[in-house]
Amino acid sequence: MTAGSARFTQWGNRVSWLLVPLAVGMQFVWLRRPVNIAGVTMTLELPLFGFLTLIAAPWAVVRIRVMNRWVQVLAGAFTILIVYAMVGIAWHASPVVETSHLTVVPGSYLLVPLLTALLAMAAGLGLAMAADRRHLPAVLTCAMGALILAGFVAWPRQVPMHRSLRLATALGGSATIHLVFLVAAAAGLGWYLHTRDVAAASRGSGSAWPGLVLAVLGAAGVLATGSRGGMLALGAWAALLVVVLLLGRKGRPRRLWPWLVAAGIGVVAVVVVLFPPFNRFLSLDDPLREQNLFSALTWWTRDWQTIVAGAGSGQVWPWFAIDSGLVPAPGERMVPTQAGQVLLSPHSTLLAVVVELGLVGLLLAGVMVVSLCRLALRCRRDAFAAPLTLALLATLVAFLFDTYLFKEFGNAFWWWLAVGAVAVCCPSETRQALSNSTASPR
């Protein structure tokens, strides 16, 4: 079975369908449970993502040649960022955490999260590239539909655990799970636009409306989490859609805006009426986060070396040592440091990068942001990829409020999967001819 054979393509499409049971399982099974394998403490996510990376490797290796160059830059910058963080662990002494007693955190507790983040990226991109361009929209839409439906079914199980009505699942708590719901909503809208375009081109009919239903359910899921970061990201996505899709595309998408407006108003009204506690949307005050920000920036600005190179990965927030049980978790949700009290984790991707990886890390993160912006411009005319790229761009708002890609690995996997889907559906123009399986049906 060679890379250019029909069997190679067929098996890749079959492998990509693993995303559907994976979506359901991740909503019910708590993969962040710490386990000890060969004397190393890790979560179940690390071996899972490693296994998925190996399965998807044959197709990823072949199709990486036609990957959109801005996706290449995005993935490359993140890889360099992770490697830089790993190398930096050796530069610093092991962090000491003070809770009920002093605990010296071994380097493996700092290295394992970084390796898991890298494998989450590899698995997400790899499984997306396993499917060819003709099959991927259907596969991704079905997977995202399963993700949303399983999320709503799993919701009641989490209510007594969190003592809150806010939507949460095993994949993520109410402060983070909104990320995958937003990506799923974007996949639904992409399927709607994609199917209508195909039906118009072939003068046939297609099942486009389930995609719009998926988009509405995904948006409702974001609001049901009660997350302020999720609400802002959803608003940013809607604004980008108005600018790029509704005003920039001709024809049918213009007819979509009344449905989007009506659906948006309906979703917001239902959530506000049924869940009055979500009036927290109206306030962004959080004294603990403010203290965390002040202490972290104080640590970062103590000398020029720290400003440039950072404090070191895990030096300020060795969160995995606390999550795994090595360090007793403090009841007040904050731990003392030489610069003041900080939260158990950064609660901001930007803050984590700036403080622990310095200006070097900030530069690499800036390259990632620029890559996403260029990717959105490059794919703005692709019916399926455009909503996804805009959603990925909108999630940068949520990154300001929690530590994605570096901590919430289940969410990170689906985020990178969306990036991989864009890479397949919107390849580089100069390299598209190299692909044996990315012919567009549109």
Side-chain angles (χ1 to χ4, degrees):
M1 184 170 62
T2 62
S5 68
R7 289 185 62 193
F8 181 81
T9 300
Q10 291 172 358
W11 274 104
N13 291 330
R14 291 169 182 170
V15 166
S16 67
W17 282 105
L18 287 174
L19 289 169
V20 176
L22 188 64
V24 176
M26 291 180 75
Q27 292 286 39
F28 285 96
V29 180
W30 190 47
L31 296 175
R32 290 173 291 171
R33 180 182 295 107
V35 295
N36 191 286
I37 301 178
V40 178
T41 300
M42 62 185 71
T43 65
L44 294 173
E45 295 160 317
L46 194 151
L48 173 64
F49 294 145
F51 176 69
L52 295 175
T53 299
L54 289 176
I55 289 179
W59 296 272
V61 169
V62 171
R63 290 171 177 163
I64 197 172
R65 296 177 299 166
V66 294
M67 182 187 293
N68 186 290
R69 66 172 181 173
W70 292 111
V71 175
Q72 292 177 334
V73 173
L74 175 65
F78 183 74
T79 301
I80 296 173
L81 190 66
I82 293 295
V83 172
Y84 174 72
M86 289 179 173
V87 173
I89 293 175
W91 297 350
H92 302 86
S94 298
V96 178
V97 183
E98 178 184 354
T99 52
S100 58
H101 59 269
L102 296 178
T103 305
V104 179
V105 179
S108 63
Y109 285 82
L110 310 180
L111 188 62
V112 163
L114 296 175
L115 181 59
T116 308
L118 195 59
L119 288 176
M121 179 192 71
L125 292 178
L127 279 179
M129 286 187 284
D132 64 39
R133 194 181 182 193
R134 289 170 295 178
H135 291 81
L136 183 59
V139 173
L140 186 64
T141 303
C142 289
M144 290 302 181
L147 193 73
I148 287 182
L149 293 178
F152 281 114
V153 172
W155 183 3
R157 296 179 57 187
Q158 300 294 321
V159 171
M161 298 180 187
H162 295 272
R163 297 179 182 178
S164 171
L165 289 177
R166 296 170 60 188
L167 189 153
T169 72
L171 180 59
S174 55
T176 60
I177 192 63
H178 57 80
L179 187 81
V180 295
F181 277 91
L182 180 59
V183 173
L189 181 58
W191 175 257
Y192 176 83
L193 298 175
H194 164 80
T195 306
R196 286 175 67 94
D197 279 3
V198 172
S202 61
R203 295 183 180 181
S205 59
S207 53
W209 286 103
L212 198 57
V213 173
L214 182 60
V216 173
L217 289 177
V222 173
L223 293 172
T225 64
S227 168
R228 290 166 289 192
M231 178 193 67
L232 293 175
L234 181 62
W237 182 55
L240 290 171
L241 282 174
V242 169
V243 173
V244 176
L245 283 178
L246 305 185
L247 301 182
R249 287 173 55 89
K250 298 179 180 180
R252 293 181 182 273
R254 288 180 177 273
R255 304 175 190 175
L256 185 61
W257 71 266
W259 295 99
L260 287 177
V261 172
I265 294 175
V267 168
V268 172
V270 169
V271 170
V272 171
V273 171
L274 295 182
F275 303 101
F278 291 165
N279 58 16
R280 65 192 304 274
F281 282 150
L282 304 177
S283 174
L284 295 178
D285 292 338
D286 194 327
L288 295 182
R289 285 179 182 259
E290 292 174 5
Q291 176 62 49
N292 179 65
L293 175 64
F294 178 79
S295 300
L297 293 180
T298 300
W299 189 319
W300 178 53
T301 56
R302 61 183 177 179
D303 54 54
W304 70 268
Q305 292 98 331
T306 306
I307 292 176
V308 174
S313 180
Q315 290 292 318
V316 182
W317 299 282
W319 59 268
F320 184 60
I322 299 176
D323 286 3
S324 64
L326 176 70
V327 176
E332 62 275 13
R333 294 173 52 198
M334 300 194 82
V335 295
T337 69
Q338 54 187 283
Q341 288 192 322
V342 298
L343 291 170
L344 307 185
S345 67
H347 284 281
S348 169
T349 303
L350 178 61
L351 185 64
V353 169
V354 169
V355 174
E356 294 197 330
L357 303 179
L359 294 180
V360 175
L362 184 61
L363 176 62
L364 291 169
V367 172
M368 294 177 64
V369 172
V370 171
S371 300
L372 274 179
C373 293
R374 295 301 299 267
L375 190 64
L377 289 174
R378 166 72 178 83
C379 301
R380 67 186 184 278
R381 299 189 185 280
D382 186 281
F384 185 75
L388 275 178
T389 56
L390 296 180
L392 292 170
L393 201 58
T395 57
L396 296 179
V397 177
F399 282 17
L400 299 175
F401 295 90
D402 226 303
T403 319
Y404 294 102
L405 304 188
F406 298 96
K407 183 176 184 290
E408 299 295 330
F409 305 120
N411 289 271
F413 166 80
W414 292 101
W415 193 88
W416 283 112
L417 181 75
V419 173
V422 172
V424 172
C425 295
C426 192
S428 297
E429 294 177 352
T430 57
R431 302 179 181 182
Q432 189 169 346
L434 294 176
S435 175
N436 55 31
S437 57
T438 54
S440 174
R442 290 168 297 206

